[in-house]
Amino acid sequence: LTLTKTGSTITKQVTTDSKGNFEAGNVSEGDWIITADSSQSVADWDGYQLSYTDIGQGAVKAGSPNLSLKVHVADNKSLVNGIEIGYHGSAVIKGYVVIDADNDGKYSANDIAFGALSTPITPKLVLTSAKSGFVEQEIKVDDQTGLFEVSGLSRHDYVLKIDDNAIERSGYRLVFSPNSMSASNQVTFSVNSPKDDQFSAGNVAEQQAFGFKSENVLKGTIYKDYSGQGTHQTYHTATLSGVNVVATNSHGLTLTVDSDSKGEYEIANIGEGRWTISVEAPANSGYDFSYVAQKVGGPITSMTGNGVVVDIASPSSSSTKITTVDFGLKGQASIEGQVVIDVIAEDGAVINAQDIGIDTLFTDYTVGLYVDNNLVKEVKAVSTGSAEHEL
């Protein structure tokens, strides 16, 4: 440090000791300006920046990168004590706090920031240290991306700590942490120098994420629609396995799962928001979408061509974290036949030109289709001509 007396060419130079202390003796009364040379023997000096100064009247944040601190010496016997000059480093730690929307156990572009939820949540993230006396610093997490950035760091073992208890009370569970596939609410970052960029360079922030999963579950059963009428019936007990259930949210994220041997499916940890749920039968199976068992209302907001739109509520606001959507798929087979009056009984069990279509005598004659003694459909017998196949 250089001390220069105002209005003169008198200067003094002092060097800080191992604890950062300095002392300038034999200083005459008057105003002195303390500056720091740009060239120093301090390791990585160009990585440090002036942070604050204090001449005993409270710390003042630096308004300039260059030190120029004015100190007044009242008389030749005065002791000016307690001058503080603070420098911070240029190291940065970047990362994310997100909801693991695609359930892949790591950060990805599909993940959702807590601030982007329909009911925003503000994660509490703090920078602290194992060293006593360290003043915790609350870190801002971007509402839309979940990105956080801690700058001005020097060589030190820093600890980033997330208040996962508060987030868990909102229905989300911590599942991964920075630089780890395990879940820990606090992680140590060992910054090796004021210019250390190991925690900020490139895409490293993506490996330094706190990830949470929703406790919500979407589940249901895929039924066979025997009658093909597009409504769920109590006799629809047979189910279909291997049906692909596709859930797509308003951000374009898609989650898929196949129904199991019992026709059941489950998408765990599905995030809050609006989802379109559809089904796709296995190729060449002969089945097509027929119905959604549940009606519009509650979480189901509308029907689509082959599915339904569902609003998944915040896991903390819903009385149950399970949303059920059951589907029915219909086949493409058909049954056709004829009902006639056999005019000549001796001609055998065949229809011939002498026979009469049943509707010529009974205009409302119907044929019923039953499943397990349940009438599922009725159709009228109708003659379209006189040929045998038209009766």
Side-chain angles (χ1 to χ4, degrees):
L1 300 175
T2 299
L3 288 76
T4 303
K5 189 172 185 179
T6 57
S8 74
T9 59
I10 301 174
T11 63
K12 287 181 175 290
Q13 290 201 341
V14 293
T15 301
T16 57
D17 63 18
S18 60
K19 295 182 179 180
N21 298 323
F22 70 90
E23 181 178 321
N26 301 317
V27 176
S28 60
E29 64 179 289
D31 293 331
W32 292 79
I33 305 297
I34 303 177
T35 58
D37 295 343
S38 58
S39 176
Q40 300 279 355
S41 61
V42 176
D44 298 314
W45 175 250
D46 59 340
Y48 288 100
Q49 302 173 45
L50 183 63
S51 180
Y52 70 91
T53 59
D54 188 351
I55 57 174
Q57 300 174 355
V60 178
K61 185 177 180 179
S64 168
N66 300 315
L67 175 63
S68 180
L69 179 61
K70 182 178 180 180
V71 177
H72 179 69
V73 178
D75 55 54
N76 293 335
K77 296 181 180 180
S78 293
L79 175 62
V80 180
N81 198 10
I83 296 173
E84 292 186 10
I85 302 169
Y87 285 85
H88 63 71
S90 303
V92 176
I93 298 173
K94 293 181 180 181
Y96 291 89
V97 180
V98 292
I99 299 167
D100 185 19
D102 52 11
N103 293 327
D104 63 354
K106 59 183 179 180
Y107 173 82
S108 73
N110 291 320
D111 295 340
I112 301 171
F114 281 97
L117 296 173
S118 57
T119 305
I121 298 172
T122 302
K124 183 180 180 182
L125 180 68
V126 297
L127 181 72
T128 184
S129 169
K131 188 175 181 180
S132 62
F134 191 98
V135 178
E136 288 190 352
Q137 176 187 350
E138 190 160 344
I139 307 303
K140 177 175 174 53
V141 178
D142 186 81
D143 288 340
Q144 298 304 309
T145 65
L147 178 69
F148 66 83
E149 181 174 324
V150 191
S151 58
L153 304 179
S154 306
R155 180 177 179 178
H156 188 76
D157 290 337
Y158 295 96
V159 176
L160 270 176
K161 184 165 59 176
I162 185 106
D163 186 356
D164 58 320
N165 288 329
I167 296 178
E168 285 185 0
R169 286 193 293 272
S170 296
Y172 296 89
R173 174 173 51 89
L174 182 66
V175 291
F176 61 82
S177 304
N179 303 315
S180 174
M181 295 297 287
S182 62
S184 175
N185 66 349
Q186 57 183 40
V187 178
T188 299
F189 292 82
S190 296
V191 177
N192 295 322
S193 78
K195 298 190 294 183
D196 192 351
D197 66 352
Q198 64 173 313
F199 302 119
S200 60
N203 296 324
V204 70
E206 297 179 3
Q207 281 78 54
Q208 297 171 174
F210 289 98
F212 292 79
K213 283 186 178 180
S214 164
E215 294 296 306
N216 284 326
V217 175
L218 174 70
K219 64 186 301 185
T221 303
I222 312 298
Y223 293 99
K224 290 182 182 178
D225 180 6
Y226 293 130
S227 61
Q229 297 303 293
T231 57
H232 186 65
Q233 304 294 333
T234 56
Y235 55 78
H236 287 174
T237 56
T239 59
L240 289 167
S241 63
V243 176
N244 188 228
V245 182
V246 182
T248 304
N249 72 359
S250 56
H251 299 278
L253 171 65
T254 297
L255 303 176
T256 64
V257 67
D258 289 345
S259 58
D260 61 19
S261 60
K262 297 180 179 180
E264 298 174 350
Y265 74 91
E266 180 176 307
I267 300 177
N269 311 119
I270 188 168
E272 170 189 349
R274 177 157 292 185
W275 293 80
T276 299
I277 317 299
S278 60
V279 290
E280 298 174 1
N284 303 317
S285 67
Y287 286 97
D288 292 319
F289 170 79
S290 179
Y291 64 78
V292 174
Q294 289 75 19
K295 305 299 183 183
V296 173
I300 296 179
T301 62
S302 62
M303 300 293 176
T304 64
N306 64 338
V308 66
V309 177
V310 177
D311 278 342
I312 303 294
S314 166
S316 64
S317 63
S318 57
S319 57
T320 175
K321 296 180 175 63
I322 298 175
T323 300
T324 300
V325 181
D326 300 317
F327 293 91
L329 272 64
K330 61 185 178 182
Q332 300 173 14
S334 61
I335 300 174
E336 295 180 354
Q338 291 173 275
V339 182
V340 298
I341 296 174
D342 189 8
V343 174
I344 304 175
E346 291 77 13
D347 63 0
V350 295
I351 297 176
N352 58 42
Q354 289 79 23
D355 293 337
I356 302 171
I358 193 70
D359 58 314
T360 60
L361 296 180
F362 304 99
T363 56
D364 293 323
Y365 190 93
T366 59
V367 176
L369 178 67
Y370 287 79
V371 174
D372 295 334
N373 296 320
N374 296 285
L375 178 63
V376 299
K377 190 173 184 179
E378 285 186 308
V379 294
K380 285 186 177 182
V382 178
S383 298
T384 59
S386 59
E388 296 173 15
H389 68 278
E390 295 176 323
L391 295 177

